[in-house]
Each structure stands twice: as structure tokens, then as C-alpha cells.
Amino acid sequence: MKVLLADALDPSAAAELRAQGYTVDVRPELGAGDLASELADYDALVVRSTKVGAEAISSSRRLSLVVRAGAGTENIDVAAASAQGIHVCNIPGRNAVAVAELTFGLLLAIDRHIASATADLRAGVWNKTVYSDADGLMGRTMGVVGLGEIGLEVAQRAKAFGMTVLGLRKPGRSEATESRIRSIGIRLVDSLEELVASSDVVTLHVPGGDDTRSMVDAGLLAHFKDGAILLNTSRGDVVDDDALIEAMDAKGIRAGLDVYRDEPPSGGHSFESPLARHPSVVGTHHIGASTEQAQLAIARAVVESVCSFAAGEPIDCINLAPRDEECTSLIIRHHDRVGVLAAIFGVLRGGGLNIQHMENRVFQGHQAAVAAIDVSAGFTDDLKRQLEELPDVLGVGVAWGHS
């Protein structure tokens, strides 16, 4: 299996993949426009911020896996990958602590005027009276927008600072997440407007994409408290820049930002951003995940993702369709002989059924095996009888769908 690492990762990722027997090329200099001409010989592609478009995805008949070395996948054309049968996997949660730490670094820097105070000290100015004016964090309320791994890490640290933490009530969360929300002591509210209106600090930890683009707009900013603090370490396009600048001027809102719209692709570039230059902004250079601990964790997760895929058990795959509730699950015990599965597929094809998922496992001694097959709606008693009459089928169990 040949793997292309098209973004900078900790060197341990390439070293461990090679130790596992994979051929690995490290090409962090490649841009989005280069991939289409480079992917023909690769089975797997690993990126961080590099965009992977439809042209690149369709350029290789070998490509079967794209790994985003991070939580989101908005830089990957997932629809194009799905149409080509290419797995798209991500790595959620491995940089959560690093991003949470930076979030609190920005918050403390804003509250205690650290950036401005440092600039004055370097200029030889002693301004203790000005920089003694701070609100403090204990007893304040923080609204966390996005209670994923990062948001929960931020909430936990806010509690340690003695803050009240608010989050949004959301159906469909896992029991593990709900349990952690309860254990941290996050109070849930029903709307984003209620959350920001009740918060002294609002921190954003949501994925990018159409659902969150410009979610912090003039309408939402109107509900913010005067003098509130907005923190964004998620995605730059979550915030409407012009609306935030207007709110900072009109309402005294302050902002701690690690992400921006139209960021340069890498270091060493000029960056003209009216928002980043605003005096009410304390900013960093999209470095939320850039700690040694996080980089090592991401490298390990990339290795785990590639190796799991190669073993036939992809993890954190975001583009496999969920199980159809109307499908029928078959458990077919059969002799471990050549052609048995082909005969089974022939019966299903004759019935006009499509296989949605299957697994075939062989028992010790290699005399028998069991196939677990999910088929589309329409399985009948007659098809069950046909399967049972196949010479090498030992038994057929059926969990009927809800058609």
C-alpha cells in the first residue's frame, strides 16, 4: 500500500507507517492544484489543510482512502469521494486539549491585557494603572457553542476557573457525551440567542461548512452583552468579519481569534485583515493544534487510521451510509468452499436485491464459515428457501427489515 502525506505531520507518522511495511512519500509542498497530477500511484492520501477536490479524487483509480489529520473534513470533496467509493476518515479529538489550552490563553490575554502590556514594556512604558483594570474570570458565565471533544475540554477548564458554563441542548447526542456534560456541570439552554445573551464569554467550537458559515452575524451579535468576549478557535468563516468589527466598535465586544477568513496557506506570507488588525482583537496564527503533544497524538492517529483501513476495519469514516432500517440482515452458515458466496450472490441477484454490507468469517479448521449480509428491502420467504437449498449452505437466519 502506497501512502502520500501531502501536509506537514510529525515525522513519527511516516516512520511508523514505513515500519509497518507501507511505502510512504512525504510531500508537504504540494498544493490543491498539484494533487490531480500526483495521485495516480497512491492508495491513500493524508492531508491537514490542503484542499482535496473532485478533480484530484477522480484522477486516480488506485486511491481508496483519504485521511484528514484533524477533526473536520470540509477541505475534502466528500460527495466526490463517496461517488468513487473512496473512504474519507478523520481524526477527531486528538488535538482537543491543545485547542482548549489556546482558547484559555486567548481569554486570559484579553482579560488581563497581556498583549498590550507586553508591547508597552518592550517600548519602555510602565502603565500599571491601565493594565490593572481586569474583570477576572471566577463567577463569570461562559457559553460554549459546540460540545464536541474540544468544547468539552474548554468547559472543563472553565469550571476549574470557577465559571458557570452554558451549552446548547441538542437531540441525538451520545449517552457518553450527555454523561460528560452532566459530570462537568454544563447547564443547557434551548437557543443560541439565549446562550449568548446570558454569557460574559462566548467560545466557538463548531465544524466549518454551510450549516455554520457566518453563524455569528449581526443578528446574533445584537444579543451579546456589551463588553462580552468572543473566542474563535474553530473556523474563520463561522464569524461575519464586518459584523464583528461593527459590534466591537458599538458594543465594546472583545475578541480572541486563532482563525480567520482567507488565511494564507502557510507561514511567511503577508496577511491583510481588518479584523485581525482591530485593537479589540487578540490573535494568533491558526496554531490551536500546534503543540508537540497534539502533533504526536495526531501522528499516532494517522498511523492507526491507515493501518485499520488496510486491515479492513476503517475507523472514524464519515462517508459510509448508515444502515437502512428497511434492509434485511442474513446470517448464512456455509461450508468453507470455493464458489459458495458466488452462489449466494446469484440467488440475491436473481431476486433483484442489492448488498449493502457483508462480512464473511471462517471457523477454526476451515470447514465452515458464516456470512453476515445486509440486503436491500424486498427479501422474501422464497429467496430464503432458495438459499437454504444451495448444496453448501448449512442454515439461513433472517432479521427482517421494516418495509
Side-chain angles (χ1 to χ4, degrees), residues 324-330 347-354 356 374-384 386-387 398-403:
D324 188 341
E325 291 186 358
E326 294 189 348
C327 76
T328 300
S329 296
L330 310 177
V347 171
L348 297 176
R349 180 180 181 180
L353 302 186
N354 197 28
Q356 296 188 357
D374 289 347
V375 296
S376 54
F379 190 77
T380 64
D381 286 323
D382 182 60
L383 288 173
K384 181 175 184 289
Q386 291 181 50
L387 289 173
V398 182
W400 297 95
H402 304 293
S403 57

Side-chain angles (χ1 to χ4, degrees), residues 195-372:
L195 182 144
V196 302
S198 304
S199 299
D200 304 295
V201 180
V202 176
T203 183
L204 307 176
H205 304 287
V206 296
D210 293 340
D211 292 341
T212 59
R213 188 172 291 112
S214 296
M215 66 181 293
V216 181
D217 58 9
L220 185 65
L221 286 162
H223 293 275
F224 274 59
K225 293 182 178 181
D226 289 353
I229 295 173
L230 173 67
L231 305 172
N232 186 14
T233 56
S234 59
R235 296 291 184 269
D237 63 5
V238 171
V239 175
D240 181 324
D241 289 10
D242 294 337
L244 178 55
I245 290 172
E246 184 176 341
M248 289 190 292
D249 292 339
K251 302 184 65 170
I253 290 174
R254 295 164 289 171
L257 307 175
D258 184 49
V259 290
Y260 313 87
R261 292 175 182 262
D262 302 319
E263 296 175 7
S266 59
H269 291 75
S270 61
F271 180 46
E272 294 298 325
S273 167
L275 178 60
R277 289 198 306 268
H278 196 282
S280 294
V281 170
V282 172
T284 48
H285 299 240
H286 202 154
I287 56 169
S290 299
T291 67
E292 183 176 353
Q293 291 172 334
Q295 297 308 303
L296 287 171
I298 289 170
R300 287 193 295 268
V302 165
V303 174
E304 183 181 0
S305 183
V306 172
C307 292
S308 297
F309 173 81
E313 299 177 353
I315 54 175
D316 295 315
C317 182
I318 60 91
N319 64 331
L320 288 176
R323 185 179 183 276
D324 188 341
E325 291 186 358
E326 294 189 348
C327 76
T328 300
S329 296
L330 310 177
I331 302 296
I332 303 175
R333 295 178 294 109
H334 61 90
H335 290 130
D336 181 29
R337 294 174 182 167
V338 175
V340 178
L341 289 177
I344 292 171
F345 296 161
V347 171
L348 297 176
R349 180 180 181 180
L353 302 186
N354 197 28
I355 295 173
Q356 296 188 357
H357 179 268
M358 75 159 291
E359 181 181 34
N360 190 63
R361 301 302 298 268
V362 178
F363 288 95
Q364 292 179 0
H366 293 269
Q367 296 184 40
V370 60

